[in-house]
Amino acid sequence: MTQAQSLGKFAEDIAAEYLISLGWKILARNCKLQHGELDIIALDTEAKPEEIAVIEVRCRTFGKIQSPFDSIGPRKLNTLIKYSREFINKIEWEGFWRIDIIGITMKEKNDLQSWELEHIRDITAGMNF
């Protein structure tokens, strides 16, 4: 496993723990689909009615030019929408669903104890797709 892969797995673990602390139920991690993969699928039990949240986890080291959120451009967003629809159709979910992003910024390059988490819910709100 490369250093980037290790950091990515670490960030996904942090994100999953955070979601569980909110009372959400993790439905899948590293969900493999026909053409790709989704990081975390969770049931947002705080939403009324409950919603499925497809979570994209991004991790960056402090000092990098791009923030975790800036690293998601239109192409990645379209891919997330496509894969999310594929998953929702596969499980035949008829309720609300959305795409969230969790950004993890490592404050010190080699210090796994020093990080900051930001959660943006429903990144596609207001989009026509």
Side-chain angles (χ1 to χ4, degrees):
M1 184 179 286
T2 67
Q3 184 177 3
Q5 289 170 323
S6 294
L7 189 56
K9 183 182 179 332
F10 175 75
E12 287 179 13
D13 290 344
I14 290 172
E17 288 174 22
Y18 161 76
L19 295 170
I20 291 167
S21 77
L22 296 178
W24 295 18
K25 181 179 178 188
I26 304 296
L27 303 176
R29 286 187 62 182
N30 303 111
C31 179
K32 296 196 185 333
L33 300 164
Q34 185 174 356
H35 296 95
E37 182 177 289
L38 296 169
D39 293 337
I40 299 174
I41 313 292
L43 184 65
D44 178 353
T45 56
E46 295 178 307
K48 300 296 178 215
E50 293 179 336
E51 296 179 350
I52 287 186
V54 176
I55 314 292
E56 173 70 9
V57 180
R58 296 297 217 177
C59 186
R60 291 289 183 266
T61 302
F62 183 76
K64 292 275 188 178
I65 294 173
Q66 280 187 321
S67 76
F69 303 110
D70 292 336
S71 69
I72 298 178
R75 187 174 182 183
K76 179 62 178 180
L77 189 56
N78 286 331
T79 299
L80 284 170
I81 293 167
K82 178 182 171 185
Y83 293 170
S84 297
R85 278 191 183 141
E86 182 181 339
F87 176 82
I88 294 301
N89 290 335
K90 181 179 176 180
I91 66 166
E92 299 179 354
W93 177 258
E94 295 186 12
F96 292 108
W97 63 274
R98 65 176 195 264
I99 300 171
D100 292 4
I101 298 183
I102 292 180
I104 308 285
T105 302
M106 306 303 294
K107 292 184 178 185
E108 299 293 331
K109 188 172 185 175
N110 294 315
D111 182 2
L112 298 181
Q113 302 303 312
S114 179
W115 49 267
E116 180 179 295
L117 181 146
E118 293 178 81
H119 181 186
I120 299 177
R121 298 178 190 214
D122 200 3
I123 62 167
T124 58
M127 292 178 62
N128 291 325
F129 58 89

